[in-house]
Amino acid sequence: MAGQEQHYIMPRAVFDKPVKLAIVMSPYYKDIADNMLAGAQAEIEAAGGSYEVVEVPGALEIPTAIAIADRSSNFDGFVALGCVIRGETTHYDTVCNDSSRAIQLLGLQGLCIGNGILTVENRKQAEVRADPADQNKGGGAAAAALHLIALTRKWGAQTKGVGFKAPSEAIQLAGTGNGPRTA
């Protein structure tokens, strides 16, 4: 059983400037979502960050809302919160796979996203994972987003050439350098 295993938890990310996150959640299973939200909020506050909560109808809408927020707002990162409980049809597989894949693609594009969309077999599994006093997957998703933001800030200021392209400061425009001018 997963609850009995011991897992390493990284130290909390530390920031020299405040961070702002969007928590995008689906309250489809409201009690579970609320528990996950409480865990995420506590983690962000403990790191000195701020957040805005955005609700969408279901797990499939979470990645779209994150993409819209990224284009339209100034968030440093995102926390995706939702829950998908297996039912009697294959819709479960579609929702789990497509929401996860879309979040991963957004992450590969450079967004800092903590994925807290639970994919479980039954309600009891969801309740244990969502509980801030138990597995606290909402807090874990917020911590993941915060760690990615810290990593982005650490490496974001560094610049270097790409492939064989010269660094931008080595590029001279015609007529601005010390070389010969031609008319």
Side-chain angles (χ1 to χ4, degrees):
M1 177 173 265
Q4 296 173 347
E5 292 183 28
Q6 294 296 315
H7 301 277
Y8 173 73
I9 298 175
M10 294 175 63
R12 184 171 283 125
V14 178
F15 300 95
D16 56 354
K17 296 184 308 185
V19 293
K20 180 180 177 186
L21 292 95
I23 301 173
V24 181
M25 70 176 238
S26 167
Y28 191 82
Y29 299 103
K30 182 113 173 75
D31 58 326
I32 293 167
D34 286 346
N35 268 344
M36 292 183 68
L37 177 60
Q41 290 170 321
E43 185 64 28
I44 294 167
E45 290 169 1
S50 63
Y51 56 85
E52 183 175 325
V53 178
V54 178
E55 291 186 359
V56 295
L60 286 175
E61 290 77 34
I62 292 172
T64 303
I66 289 172
I68 293 167
D70 181 57
R71 287 191 305 269
S72 306
S73 298
N74 62 342
F75 295 106
D76 297 300
F78 304 89
V79 181
L81 300 179
C83 179
V84 185
I85 300 175
R86 185 178 299 276
E88 297 176 359
T89 69
T90 58
H91 183 66
Y92 169 87
D93 297 316
T94 299
V95 175
C96 293
N97 293 333
D98 290 356
S99 63
S100 179
R101 184 177 300 112
I103 288 172
Q104 185 67 27
L105 289 172
L106 290 169
L108 291 172
Q109 293 174 16
L111 277 65
C112 300
I113 306 171
N115 186 352
I117 300 177
L118 300 178
T119 54
V120 297
E121 297 295 322
N122 55 59
R123 175 170 265 283
K124 181 64 177 159
Q125 289 177 348
E127 290 168 352
V128 168
R129 285 159 178 75
D131 187 348
D134 201 336
Q135 290 190 20
N136 192 21
K137 295 298 184 181
L146 291 164
H147 279 284
L148 291 171
I149 294 167
L151 190 61
T152 299
R153 286 186 178 182
K154 175 182 177 182
W155 289 336
Q158 298 177 0
T159 59
K160 59 182 175 183
V162 177
F164 59 85
K165 184 177 176 183
S168 61
E169 52 273 358
I171 298 173
Q172 294 182 346
L173 299 176
T176 61
N178 295 332
R181 281 182 86 168
T182 57

